[in-house]
Amino acid sequence: MSEATTLSRRTLLKVSALAGGGFALSATMPMVARAVGAEASAPAELTAFVTIAPDNTVTIIGKNPEIGQGIKTSLPMIVAEELDADWDLVKIEMAETNMAKYGPQLAGGSFSTPMNWMPMRQTGATARAMLIAAAAQKWGVSAASLGTEPGKVVEKASGRSATYGELASLAATIPVPDPESLTLKDQADFRIIGRAIGGIDSPKIVRGEPIFGVDTQLPGMVYAAYERSPVFGATLKNADVEAAKAQPGVIDAFIVRGNGNAEELVDGVAVIASNWWLANRARSALKPEWDNGEWASHSTTGYAAKAKELMDGGKAAQVFGERGDMAGALASAAKVVTADYSYPFLAHAAMEPMNCTALMREDGVMEMWAPSQTPQGGLTSVAEYLGLPPEKVIVHITRMGGGFGRRLNNDYMVQVAAIAKEMPGTPVQLIWSREDDVRTDFYRPAGWHRLTASIDADGKMTGLKDHFVTFDLGESPFNPALMSPDTFPAKLMDNLLLEQDMLRTAIPMGALRAPNSNALAFVTQSFLDEVAHETGKDLPTLLMEIIEDAETEPTTMGFTGPTPGFNPNRVRAVTSKVMDMADWGKPVADGHALGFGYYWSHQGYFAEVVEVSLSDSNKVQVHNVWCAGDVGNQIINPFGALNQVEGSIIDGIGQALQLAVEVEGGAVKQSNFHNYPLPRMPMTPQIHVEWVKSDNSPTGLGEPALPPVIPALTNALFALTGKRVRSLPIDTSLFS
Amino acid sequence: MAITVTINEETREIDAPGDMPLLWALRQELGMVGTKFGCGIGMCGACTVHLDGQAVRSCSLPLSAIGDKKVSTIEHLAQSEVGQALQQAWLDDDVMQCGYCQAGQLMSATALLNTNATPSDDEIDAAMQGNICRCACYKRIKTAIAQVSRKEDTANV
């Protein structure tokens, strides 16, 4: 356990960055914020996260937003474990947005588990220690003579006991113990952590009860649609708001001016009606005129042509990683391998379209119901936009119908705030159509790589060069299009040259599940498979050669957070495990082939093997995926954990086979599921997952299983056909 | 002019234009938000309801086209034996991640098992391929349907 993820008395929790860019968090995590003067008949709040009622009900606060990753169930499981609660008596409530009380509330970067593992254990243990102290005081015995059983404090010698409910109000008066003094459970004694527990909201979901952001219903609520230019960077000249107002059911229509920040608010027209379908239909009457500016000439084919021109031109504008003498390595190489790789823009397409509900209250408070992965960031953006102090903005966190990184950006929150401020006293629910959602995203950036490897006479890879063409995001603090100079295997190359050219674009870019890694795993693991093939070995063998000397380099491999850096033993373990699982190297069915891919991202180590065949019409058929993953020494909830891995694998296969966002005339061509075809049930392969346990604190599972499946698939297709997939999505005409 | 529709065995008067899709009448005229909006063009299945027992996409079904046919939604699913069995299987197998599409998945699965109590693997694929799960819980959805179907099978022996 590293110091930075435990709590001291005045806890400091810092997470700086993840590989290739990401979040920078630095915040204190309050352990306890106790209610004073708790009465015996009322529920007593022992810590900010634990309240115990006289009827023994334990209410645990779910701290971080739930997007389907299972965090609303798994973090409270950790608290309940150390509290020694009776899980059947546990209720979970979603936290309000409150940095001071709950610390960082974020669903992103697979951070929730590693950031909260130790603090949640300590908050549970804190409450347990206070309950024990209360019993000791009540019975006039020493705390050391007491222990707990689920939901009660027990005196070991006499066997007498008191329930947590009986002790709670007294416990709330006990001084908060020093976190350093707490005794945490041995892993072997866990009885809640490690149990397969169904999602806490699932019973409501199967009954169709209101639970998602878009299910928010308030008295007198009206619905808003927002018309904006399909061309990114456009400004509004004018629109026929009177014509829209004349449409059936329309209550109002008005122009909204952007604030100059595409991550918050762009020019548009709000149409308000008693029913969203009526509001959305009335958009067609607006006939807006836009000033599309310089961006209307931009297209993805144009970007690709420019990228090729830049790569053909030789030297790139910037060098961002260099070691040894790459030119020398190439000059003396026995063999040189060169290949161009590329991948497209991708949309998130969460099932629940972007939406948010807002009420500008008569008391000057903006109250919001937000499906946001970063509600604290959304609160700040809304407060700044409205010119309100943060305490005048209340953000209720709703469950989300998927996130995948889309809801890290809170543009829809600012948009509805801009509308609701014009209608004080009336709750407004903004909903985007699927077309709005697909065409107004923060896209996974496209990218182009010209890779070159030098190989010596012994068949050893001696150097790597990458001419990368990406996008410049100007002054944006977070550029998801940048590649870390530590991207595997750069740090392990004796000779290295990483250089890049940047294209200008107005296309908004953002984090998509396993940002950077979801593209770079394909590029690097496919290219290494090419190098392996050229040197007469398989990719696992080459991978083991590359990491052979990794121990000698105390490297973080791109991750600069508080957790352990790259560990080659963990790579070896998952690789060897998945090779066993898949019978790697043994004969496969006629017309089938296997491919391997490995990646380390978001602190998780995953090695995967894919089995493919081609149908008579050259359709790619994925039959089996074997997956070995190492996310530390403990799977917190096997149900949710396995679900994340299975979903990530199918997600990755879908991206590889059929997803791309294309831009033409400065606007996205795709619009809905007919031309942005997400995976469907018949594409589901058999998926076999095994965990490799290592001596590390548990880390997150929302992302790291996705990246390796893409190169495993393309490498399998090479093994099957001899044709190398170097561009996504896979063009099956390659195989005919 | 109000339109009369039978929903979950109740007669409901809806004061909305006849070309309004059933989805938006359910959600915002009647406050029944269990049926979900996903795409608006019948491509994702999140809005699936039953019309005389058949799975239909309510985002593409105008109120005026319903007539005397009976609408049944996720809120009513537990009233049917198969629906209830599927809801339980969904919980036993912890099928869902975000859960947003699951009302539609359950409605499609129920319609399938009501017409074919013991579907083959391919028949499950065919009946369910109109329902997108962005979290890709397909493996578990399929397993849950197969489990309920096997119970049916046993019950009929």
Side-chain angles (χ1 to χ4, degrees), chain A residues 532-611:
Chain A
H533 182 75
E534 291 294 331
T535 55
K537 53 191 94 150
D538 64 8
L539 178 55
T541 305
L542 176 63
L543 180 65
M544 292 307 114
E545 285 178 14
I546 290 173
I547 65 169
E548 193 176 1
D549 297 326
E551 287 94 332
T552 62
E553 192 175 8
T555 171
T556 59
M557 298 293 290
F559 189 84
T560 53
T563 51
F566 178 77
N567 180 340
N569 289 329
R570 301 177 77 177
V571 186
R572 291 188 189 101
V574 292
T575 300
S576 130
K577 169 62 93 177
V578 85
M579 287 167 75
D580 281 350
M581 290 166 68
D583 283 334
W584 181 262
K586 306 227 173 87
V588 292
D590 275 353
H592 290 219
L594 302 184
F596 171 88
Y598 148 80
Y599 219 64
W600 176 60
S601 78
H602 298 79
Q603 306 178 51
Y605 294 74
F606 280 81
E608 296 173 17
V609 171
V610 167
E611 179 185 355

Coordinates of all heavy atoms in Angstrom, one line a residue, chain A residues 532-611:
Chain A
A532 N 7.8 -9.3 -34.6 CA 8.0 -10.7 -34.2 C 7.9 -11.6 -35.4 O 8.8 -12.5 -35.6 CB 6.9 -11.0 -33.2
H533 N 7.0 -11.4 -36.3 CA 6.9 -12.2 -37.5 C 8.1 -12.1 -38.4 O 8.6 -13.2 -38.8 CB 5.6 -11.8 -38.3 CG 5.4 -12.6 -39.5 ND1 4.9 -13.8 -39.5 CD2 5.6 -12.3 -40.8 CE1 4.8 -14.3 -40.7 NE2 5.2 -13.4 -41.6
E534 N 8.7 -10.9 -38.5 CA 9.9 -10.7 -39.3 C 11.1 -11.4 -38.7 O 12.1 -11.6 -39.4 CB 10.2 -9.2 -39.5 CG 9.1 -8.5 -40.4 CD 9.2 -9.0 -41.9 OE1 10.3 -9.4 -42.3 OE2 8.1 -9.0 -42.5
T535 N 11.1 -11.6 -37.4 CA 12.2 -12.3 -36.7 C 11.9 -13.7 -36.4 O 12.7 -14.3 -35.6 CB 12.6 -11.4 -35.5 OG1 11.5 -11.3 -34.6 CG2 13.1 -10.1 -35.8
G536 N 10.8 -14.2 -36.9 CA 10.6 -15.7 -36.8 C 10.2 -16.1 -35.4 O 10.4 -17.2 -35.0
K537 N 9.5 -15.2 -34.6 CA 9.0 -15.6 -33.3 C 7.6 -15.1 -33.2 O 7.1 -14.4 -34.1 CB 9.9 -15.1 -32.2 CG 10.2 -13.6 -32.3 CD 11.3 -13.1 -31.3 CE 12.6 -13.0 -32.0 NZ 13.5 -12.0 -31.5
D538 N 7.0 -15.5 -32.1 CA 5.6 -15.0 -31.9 C 5.6 -13.8 -30.9 O 6.7 -13.5 -30.3 CB 4.7 -16.1 -31.4 CG 5.0 -16.6 -30.0 OD1 5.9 -16.0 -29.3 OD2 4.4 -17.6 -29.6
L539 N 4.5 -13.1 -30.9 CA 4.5 -11.8 -30.1 C 4.8 -12.0 -28.6 O 5.5 -11.2 -28.0 CB 3.2 -11.1 -30.3 CG 2.9 -9.8 -29.6 CD1 4.1 -8.8 -29.8 CD2 1.6 -9.1 -30.0
P540 N 4.2 -13.0 -28.0 CA 4.6 -13.2 -26.5 C 6.1 -13.4 -26.3 O 6.6 -12.8 -25.3 CB 3.8 -14.5 -26.1 CG 2.6 -14.6 -27.1 CD 3.2 -14.0 -28.4
T541 N 6.7 -14.1 -27.2 CA 8.2 -14.2 -27.1 C 8.9 -12.9 -27.2 O 9.8 -12.6 -26.4 CB 8.7 -15.2 -28.2 OG1 8.0 -16.4 -28.1 CG2 10.2 -15.5 -28.0
L542 N 8.5 -12.1 -28.2 CA 9.1 -10.8 -28.4 C 8.8 -9.9 -27.2 O 9.7 -9.2 -26.7 CB 8.6 -10.1 -29.7 CG 9.1 -8.7 -29.9 CD1 10.6 -8.6 -30.1 CD2 8.4 -8.1 -31.1
L543 N 7.6 -10.0 -26.7 CA 7.2 -9.2 -25.5 C 8.1 -9.5 -24.3 O 8.6 -8.6 -23.6 CB 5.8 -9.4 -25.2 CG 5.1 -8.7 -24.0 CD1 5.1 -7.2 -24.3 CD2 3.7 -9.2 -23.7
M544 N 8.4 -10.8 -24.1 CA 9.2 -11.2 -23.0 C 10.7 -10.7 -23.2 O 11.3 -10.3 -22.2 CB 9.2 -12.7 -22.8 CG 7.9 -13.3 -22.4 SD 7.2 -12.6 -20.9 CE 5.8 -11.8 -21.5
E545 N 11.1 -10.7 -24.4 CA 12.5 -10.2 -24.7 C 12.5 -8.7 -24.4 O 13.5 -8.2 -23.8 CB 12.8 -10.4 -26.2 CG 13.2 -11.8 -26.6 CD 13.5 -12.0 -28.1 OE1 13.7 -10.9 -28.8 OE2 13.5 -13.1 -28.5
I546 N 11.5 -8.0 -24.8 CA 11.5 -6.5 -24.6 C 11.5 -6.1 -23.1 O 12.2 -5.2 -22.7 CB 10.3 -5.9 -25.3 CG1 10.5 -5.9 -26.8 CG2 10.1 -4.4 -24.9 CD1 9.3 -5.5 -27.6
I547 N 10.8 -6.9 -22.3 CA 10.7 -6.5 -20.9 C 11.8 -7.2 -20.1 O 11.9 -7.0 -18.9 CB 9.3 -6.9 -20.3 CG1 9.0 -8.4 -20.2 CG2 8.2 -6.1 -21.0 CD1 7.8 -8.7 -19.4
E548 N 12.6 -8.0 -20.7 CA 13.6 -8.7 -20.0 C 14.4 -7.9 -19.0 O 14.7 -8.3 -17.9 CB 14.6 -9.4 -21.0 CG 15.4 -10.5 -20.3 CD 16.3 -11.3 -21.3 OE1 16.2 -10.9 -22.5 OE2 17.0 -12.2 -20.9
D549 N 14.9 -6.7 -19.5 CA 15.7 -5.9 -18.6 C 15.0 -4.8 -17.9 O 15.5 -3.9 -17.4 CB 16.8 -5.3 -19.5 CG 17.7 -6.3 -20.1 OD1 17.9 -7.4 -19.4 OD2 18.2 -6.2 -21.2
A550 N 13.6 -4.9 -17.9 CA 12.8 -3.8 -17.4 C 13.1 -3.5 -15.9 O 13.0 -2.4 -15.5 CB 11.4 -4.0 -17.7
E551 N 13.5 -4.6 -15.2 CA 13.7 -4.4 -13.8 C 14.8 -3.4 -13.5 O 14.9 -2.8 -12.4 CB 14.1 -5.7 -13.1 CG 12.9 -6.6 -12.9 CD 12.8 -7.6 -14.1 OE1 13.2 -7.3 -15.2 OE2 12.3 -8.7 -13.8
T552 N 15.8 -3.3 -14.4 CA 16.9 -2.5 -14.2 C 16.6 -1.0 -14.3 O 17.4 -0.2 -13.9 CB 18.1 -2.8 -15.2 OG1 17.6 -2.5 -16.5 CG2 18.5 -4.3 -15.1
E553 N 15.4 -0.7 -14.8 CA 15.1 0.7 -15.0 C 13.9 1.0 -14.1 O 12.8 0.5 -14.2 CB 14.6 0.9 -16.5 CG 14.5 2.3 -16.8 CD 14.2 2.5 -18.3 OE1 14.0 1.5 -19.0 OE2 14.2 3.7 -18.7
P554 N 14.2 1.9 -13.1 CA 13.1 2.2 -12.2 C 12.1 3.2 -12.8 O 12.1 4.4 -12.6 CB 13.8 2.9 -11.0 CG 15.1 3.5 -11.7 CD 15.4 2.6 -12.8
T555 N 11.3 2.7 -13.7 CA 10.5 3.5 -14.6 C 9.0 3.5 -14.1 O 8.5 2.5 -13.6 CB 10.6 3.0 -16.0 OG1 9.6 3.8 -16.8 CG2 10.3 1.6 -16.2
T556 N 8.4 4.6 -14.3 CA 6.9 4.6 -14.1 C 6.2 4.3 -15.4 O 5.0 4.2 -15.4 CB 6.5 6.0 -13.5 OG1 6.9 7.0 -14.5 CG2 7.1 6.3 -12.2
M557 N 6.9 4.2 -16.5 CA 6.3 3.9 -17.7 C 5.1 4.8 -18.1 O 4.1 4.4 -18.6 CB 5.8 2.4 -17.8 CG 6.9 1.4 -17.6 SD 8.1 1.4 -19.0 CE 7.0 0.7 -20.2
G558 N 5.2 6.0 -17.7 CA 4.1 6.9 -18.1 C 3.1 7.3 -17.0 O 2.4 8.2 -17.1
F559 N 3.1 6.4 -16.0 CA 2.1 6.7 -14.9 C 2.9 7.4 -13.8 O 3.8 6.9 -13.3 CB 1.5 5.4 -14.4 CG 0.4 5.7 -13.5 CD1 -0.9 5.9 -14.0 CD2 0.6 5.7 -12.1 CE1 -1.9 6.2 -13.1 CE2 -0.4 6.0 -11.3 CZ -1.7 6.2 -11.7
T560 N 2.4 8.6 -13.5 CA 3.1 9.4 -12.5 C 2.3 9.6 -11.2 O 2.5 10.5 -10.4 CB 3.5 10.8 -13.0 OG1 2.3 11.4 -13.6 CG2 4.5 10.6 -14.2
G561 N 1.3 8.7 -11.0 CA 0.4 8.8 -9.9 C 1.1 8.2 -8.7 O 2.3 7.8 -8.7
P562 N 0.3 8.0 -7.6 CA 0.8 7.5 -6.4 C 1.0 6.0 -6.3 O 1.3 5.4 -5.3 CB -0.3 7.9 -5.4 CG -1.5 7.9 -6.2 CD -1.2 8.3 -7.6
T563 N 0.6 5.3 -7.4 CA 0.6 3.8 -7.3 C 1.9 3.2 -7.9 O 2.6 4.0 -8.6 CB -0.6 3.2 -8.0 OG1 -0.6 3.9 -9.3 CG2 -1.9 3.5 -7.3
P564 N 2.1 2.0 -7.7 CA 3.4 1.4 -8.2 C 3.4 1.5 -9.8 O 2.4 1.4 -10.4 CB 3.3 -0.1 -7.8 CG 2.2 -0.2 -6.8 CD 1.3 1.0 -7.0
G565 N 4.5 1.7 -10.3 CA 4.7 1.8 -11.7 C 4.7 0.4 -12.4 O 4.3 -0.6 -11.8
F566 N 5.1 0.4 -13.6 CA 5.1 -0.8 -14.5 C 5.9 -1.9 -13.8 O 7.0 -1.6 -13.3 CB 5.8 -0.4 -15.8 CG 5.9 -1.5 -16.7 CD1 4.8 -2.0 -17.5 CD2 7.2 -2.1 -17.0 CE1 5.0 -3.0 -18.4 CE2 7.3 -3.1 -17.8 CZ 6.2 -3.6 -18.5
N567 N 5.4 -3.0 -13.8 CA 6.0 -4.2 -13.2 C 6.1 -5.3 -14.2 O 5.1 -5.9 -14.5 CB 5.3 -4.6 -11.9 CG 5.9 -5.8 -11.2 OD1 6.7 -6.5 -11.8 ND2 5.6 -5.9 -9.9
P568 N 7.3 -5.6 -14.7 CA 7.4 -6.7 -15.7 C 6.9 -8.1 -15.3 O 6.4 -8.9 -16.1 CB 8.9 -6.7 -16.1 CG 9.5 -6.0 -15.0 CD 8.6 -5.1 -14.3
N569 N 7.0 -8.3 -14.0 CA 6.5 -9.6 -13.5 C 5.0 -9.8 -13.7 O 4.5 -10.9 -13.9 CB 6.9 -9.8 -12.0 CG 8.3 -10.0 -11.8 OD1 9.0 -10.5 -12.6 ND2 8.8 -9.5 -10.6
R570 N 4.3 -8.7 -13.6 CA 2.9 -8.8 -13.8 C 2.6 -9.0 -15.3 O 1.6 -9.7 -15.6 CB 2.2 -7.5 -13.3 CG 2.5 -7.3 -11.8 CD 1.9 -5.9 -11.3 NE 0.5 -6.0 -11.0 CZ -0.3 -5.0 -10.5 NH1 0.3 -3.9 -10.2 NH2 -1.6 -5.2 -10.4
V571 N 3.4 -8.5 -16.2 CA 3.2 -8.8 -17.6 C 3.5 -10.2 -17.9 O 2.7 -10.9 -18.6 CB 4.2 -7.9 -18.4 CG1 3.9 -8.1 -19.9 CG2 4.2 -6.5 -18.1
R572 N 4.5 -10.7 -17.3 CA 4.9 -12.2 -17.5 C 3.7 -13.0 -17.0 O 3.3 -14.0 -17.7 CB 6.1 -12.5 -16.7 CG 7.4 -11.9 -17.3 CD 8.7 -12.4 -16.6 NE 9.8 -11.6 -17.1 CZ 10.3 -10.6 -16.4 NH1 9.9 -10.4 -15.1 NH2 11.3 -9.9 -16.9
A573 N 3.2 -12.7 -15.8 CA 2.2 -13.6 -15.2 C 0.9 -13.6 -16.1 O 0.3 -14.7 -16.3 CB 1.9 -13.1 -13.8
V574 N 0.4 -12.5 -16.5 CA -0.8 -12.5 -17.3 C -0.6 -13.1 -18.7 O -1.5 -13.8 -19.2 CB -1.5 -11.1 -17.5 CG1 -2.0 -10.6 -16.1 CG2 -0.6 -10.1 -18.1
T575 N 0.6 -12.9 -19.2 CA 0.9 -13.5 -20.6 C 0.9 -15.0 -20.5 O 0.3 -15.7 -21.3 CB 2.2 -12.9 -21.1 OG1 2.1 -11.5 -21.2 CG2 2.6 -13.5 -22.5
S576 N 1.7 -15.5 -19.5 CA 1.8 -16.9 -19.4 C 0.4 -17.5 -19.0 O 0.1 -18.6 -19.6 CB 2.9 -17.2 -18.3 OG 2.5 -18.1 -17.4
K577 N -0.4 -16.9 -18.2 CA -1.7 -17.4 -17.9 C -2.6 -17.5 -19.1 O -3.2 -18.5 -19.4 CB -2.3 -16.5 -16.8 CG -3.8 -16.7 -16.5 CD -4.1 -18.1 -16.0 CE -4.1 -18.2 -14.5 NZ -4.5 -19.6 -14.0
V578 N -2.6 -16.4 -19.9 CA -3.5 -16.5 -21.1 C -3.1 -17.5 -22.1 O -3.9 -18.1 -22.8 CB -3.8 -15.1 -21.6 CG1 -2.7 -14.7 -22.7 CG2 -5.1 -14.9 -22.3
M579 N -1.7 -17.7 -22.2 CA -1.2 -18.7 -23.2 C -1.7 -20.1 -22.8 O -2.1 -20.9 -23.6 CB 0.3 -18.6 -23.3 CG 0.7 -17.3 -24.0 SD 2.5 -17.0 -23.8 CE 3.2 -18.2 -24.9
D580 N -1.7 -20.3 -21.5 CA -2.2 -21.6 -21.0 C -3.7 -21.8 -21.3 O -4.1 -22.8 -21.7 CB -2.0 -21.7 -19.4 CG -0.6 -22.0 -19.1 OD1 0.2 -22.4 -20.0 OD2 -0.3 -21.9 -17.9
M581 N -4.4 -20.7 -20.9 CA -5.9 -20.7 -21.1 C -6.3 -21.0 -22.5 O -7.2 -21.8 -22.8 CB -6.5 -19.4 -20.7 CG -6.5 -19.1 -19.2 SD -6.9 -17.4 -18.8 CE -8.6 -17.3 -19.3
A582 N -5.5 -20.4 -23.5 CA -5.9 -20.5 -24.9 C -5.2 -21.6 -25.6 O -5.4 -21.8 -26.8 CB -5.6 -19.2 -25.6
D583 N -4.4 -22.4 -24.9 CA -3.6 -23.5 -25.6 C -2.8 -22.9 -26.7 O -2.7 -23.4 -27.8 CB -4.5 -24.6 -26.1 CG -5.0 -25.5 -25.0 OD1 -4.3 -25.6 -24.0 OD2 -6.0 -26.1 -25.2
W584 N -2.2 -21.7 -26.4 CA -1.3 -21.0 -27.4 C -0.3 -21.9 -27.9 O 0.4 -22.6 -27.2 CB -0.7 -19.8 -26.7 CG 0.1 -18.9 -27.6 CD1 1.5 -18.9 -27.8 CD2 -0.4 -17.9 -28.5 NE1 1.9 -18.0 -28.7 CE2 0.7 -17.4 -29.2 CE3 -1.7 -17.5 -28.9 CZ2 0.6 -16.4 -30.1 CZ3 -1.8 -16.5 -29.8 CH2 -0.6 -15.9 -30.4
G585 N -0.1 -21.9 -29.2 CA 1.0 -22.7 -29.9 C 0.5 -24.1 -30.3 O 1.2 -24.8 -31.0
K586 N -0.7 -24.5 -29.8 CA -1.3 -25.8 -30.2 C -2.2 -25.6 -31.4 O -2.6 -24.5 -31.7 CB -2.1 -26.4 -29.1 CG -1.3 -26.5 -27.7 CD -1.4 -27.8 -27.1 CE -0.5 -27.9 -25.9 NZ -1.1 -27.4 -24.6
P587 N -2.4 -26.7 -32.2 CA -3.3 -26.6 -33.4 C -4.7 -26.0 -33.0 O -5.2 -26.4 -32.0 CB -3.4 -28.0 -33.9 CG -2.3 -28.7 -33.2 CD -2.0 -28.1 -31.9
V588 N -5.2 -25.3 -33.9 CA -6.6 -24.8 -33.8 C -7.5 -25.4 -34.9 O -7.0 -26.0 -35.8 CB -6.7 -23.2 -33.8 CG1 -6.1 -22.6 -32.6 CG2 -6.1 -22.7 -35.0
A589 N -8.8 -25.1 -34.8 CA -9.7 -25.7 -35.8 C -9.3 -25.2 -37.2 O -8.8 -24.1 -37.3 CB -11.1 -25.3 -35.4
D590 N -9.6 -26.0 -38.2 CA -9.4 -25.6 -39.6 C -10.1 -24.3 -39.9 O -11.2 -24.1 -39.5 CB -9.9 -26.6 -40.6 CG -8.9 -27.7 -40.8 OD1 -7.8 -27.6 -40.3 OD2 -9.3 -28.7 -41.4
G591 N -9.4 -23.4 -40.5 CA -10.0 -22.1 -40.9 C -10.1 -21.1 -39.7 O -10.7 -20.1 -39.9
H592 N -9.5 -21.5 -38.6 CA -9.5 -20.6 -37.5 C -8.0 -20.2 -37.2 O -7.1 -20.9 -37.6 CB -10.1 -21.2 -36.2 CG -11.5 -21.5 -36.3 ND1 -12.3 -21.3 -35.2 CD2 -12.3 -21.8 -37.3 CE1 -13.6 -21.6 -35.5 NE2 -13.6 -21.9 -36.8
A593 N -7.8 -19.1 -36.5 CA -6.5 -18.7 -36.0 C -6.6 -17.9 -34.7 O -7.6 -17.3 -34.4 CB -5.8 -17.9 -37.1
L594 N -5.4 -17.9 -34.0 CA -5.4 -17.1 -32.8 C -4.5 -15.9 -32.9 O -3.5 -15.9 -33.7 CB -4.8 -18.0 -31.6 CG -5.5 -19.3 -31.3 CD1 -4.8 -20.0 -30.1 CD2 -6.9 -19.1 -31.0
G595 N -4.8 -14.9 -32.2 CA -3.9 -13.7 -32.1 C -3.8 -13.3 -30.6 O -4.7 -13.5 -29.8
F596 N -2.6 -12.6 -30.3 CA -2.3 -12.2 -29.0 C -2.2 -10.7 -28.9 O -1.7 -10.1 -29.8 CB -1.0 -12.9 -28.6 CG -0.4 -12.4 -27.2 CD1 -0.8 -13.0 -26.0 CD2 0.5 -11.4 -27.2 CE1 -0.3 -12.6 -24.8 CE2 1.0 -10.9 -26.0 CZ 0.6 -11.5 -24.8
G597 N -2.6 -10.2 -27.8 CA -2.4 -8.7 -27.5 C -2.2 -8.5 -26.0 O -2.8 -9.3 -25.2
Y598 N -1.4 -7.6 -25.7 CA -1.2 -7.3 -24.2 C -1.2 -5.8 -24.1 O -0.8 -5.0 -25.0 CB 0.2 -7.8 -23.8 CG 0.8 -6.9 -22.7 CD1 0.4 -7.1 -21.4 CD2 1.7 -5.9 -23.0 CE1 0.9 -6.2 -20.4 CE2 2.2 -5.0 -22.1 CZ 1.8 -5.2 -20.8 OH 2.2 -4.4 -19.8
Y599 N -1.7 -5.3 -22.9 CA -1.6 -3.9 -22.6 C -1.7 -3.6 -21.2 O -2.3 -4.4 -20.4 CB -2.6 -3.0 -23.4 CG -2.0 -1.7 -23.9 CD1 -0.9 -1.7 -24.8 CD2 -2.4 -0.5 -23.4 CE1 -0.3 -0.5 -25.2 CE2 -1.8 0.7 -23.8 CZ -0.8 0.6 -24.7 OH -0.2 1.8 -25.2
W600 N -1.0 -2.6 -20.8 CA -1.0 -2.1 -19.4 C -1.6 -0.7 -19.4 O -1.1 0.2 -20.0 CB 0.4 -2.0 -18.8 CG 0.4 -1.4 -17.4 CD1 -0.2 -1.9 -16.3 CD2 1.2 -0.3 -17.0 NE1 0.1 -1.2 -15.2 CE2 0.9 -0.1 -15.6 CE3 2.0 0.6 -17.7 CZ2 1.5 0.9 -14.9 CZ3 2.5 1.7 -16.9 CH2 2.3 1.8 -15.5
S601 N -2.8 -0.6 -18.9 CA -3.4 0.8 -18.8 C -4.2 0.9 -17.6 O -4.8 -0.1 -17.1 CB -4.2 1.1 -20.1 OG -5.5 0.5 -20.0
H602 N -4.3 2.1 -17.1 CA -5.2 2.4 -15.9 C -4.8 1.4 -14.7 O -5.7 1.0 -14.0 CB -6.6 2.3 -16.2 CG -7.0 3.4 -17.2 ND1 -6.7 3.2 -18.5 CD2 -7.5 4.6 -17.1 CE1 -7.1 4.3 -19.2 NE2 -7.6 5.2 -18.3
Q603 N -3.5 1.1 -14.7 CA -2.9 0.3 -13.6 C -3.3 -1.2 -13.7 O -3.0 -2.0 -12.8 CB -3.3 0.8 -12.2 CG -2.9 2.2 -12.0 CD -3.4 2.7 -10.6 OE1 -3.0 2.1 -9.7 NE2 -4.1 3.8 -10.6
G604 N -4.0 -1.6 -14.7 CA -4.4 -3.0 -14.9 C -3.5 -3.6 -16.0 O -3.2 -3.0 -17.0
Y605 N -3.2 -4.9 -15.8 CA -2.4 -5.7 -16.8 C -3.3 -6.7 -17.4 O -3.8 -7.6 -16.7 CB -1.2 -6.4 -16.0 CG -0.2 -5.4 -15.4 CD1 -0.5 -4.7 -14.3 CD2 1.1 -5.3 -16.0 CE1 0.4 -3.8 -13.7 CE2 2.0 -4.4 -15.4 CZ 1.7 -3.7 -14.3 OH 2.6 -2.8 -13.8
F606 N -3.4 -6.6 -18.7 CA -4.3 -7.6 -19.4 C -3.6 -8.2 -20.6 O -3.0 -7.4 -21.4 CB -5.6 -6.9 -19.8 CG -6.6 -6.8 -18.7 CD1 -6.4 -5.8 -17.7 CD2 -7.6 -7.7 -18.5 CE1 -7.3 -5.7 -16.6 CE2 -8.4 -7.7 -17.4 CZ -8.3 -6.7 -16.5
A607 N -3.7 -9.5 -20.7 CA -3.2 -10.2 -21.9 C -4.4 -11.0 -22.4 O -5.2 -11.6 -21.7 CB -2.1 -11.1 -21.5
E608 N -4.6 -10.9 -23.7 CA -5.8 -11.5 -24.3 C -5.5 -12.3 -25.6 O -4.6 -11.9 -26.3 CB -6.9 -10.4 -24.6 CG -7.3 -9.8 -23.2 CD -8.2 -8.6 -23.3 OE1 -8.8 -8.4 -24.4 OE2 -8.3 -7.9 -22.3
V609 N -6.2 -13.3 -25.8 CA -6.0 -14.1 -27.1 C -7.4 -14.2 -27.7 O -8.4 -14.5 -27.1 CB -5.5 -15.5 -26.8 CG1 -5.5 -16.4 -28.0 CG2 -4.0 -15.4 -26.3
V610 N -7.4 -13.9 -29.0 CA -8.7 -14.0 -29.8 C -8.6 -15.1 -30.8 O -7.6 -15.3 -31.5 CB -8.9 -12.6 -30.5 CG1 -10.0 -12.7 -31.6 CG2 -9.3 -11.5 -29.5
E611 N -9.7 -15.8 -31.0 CA -9.8 -16.9 -32.0 C -10.8 -16.4 -33.1 O -11.9 -16.1 -32.8 CB -10.3 -18.2 -31.4 CG -10.4 -19.3 -32.5 CD -11.1 -20.6 -31.9 OE1 -11.3 -20.6 -30.7 OE2 -11.3 -21.5 -32.7

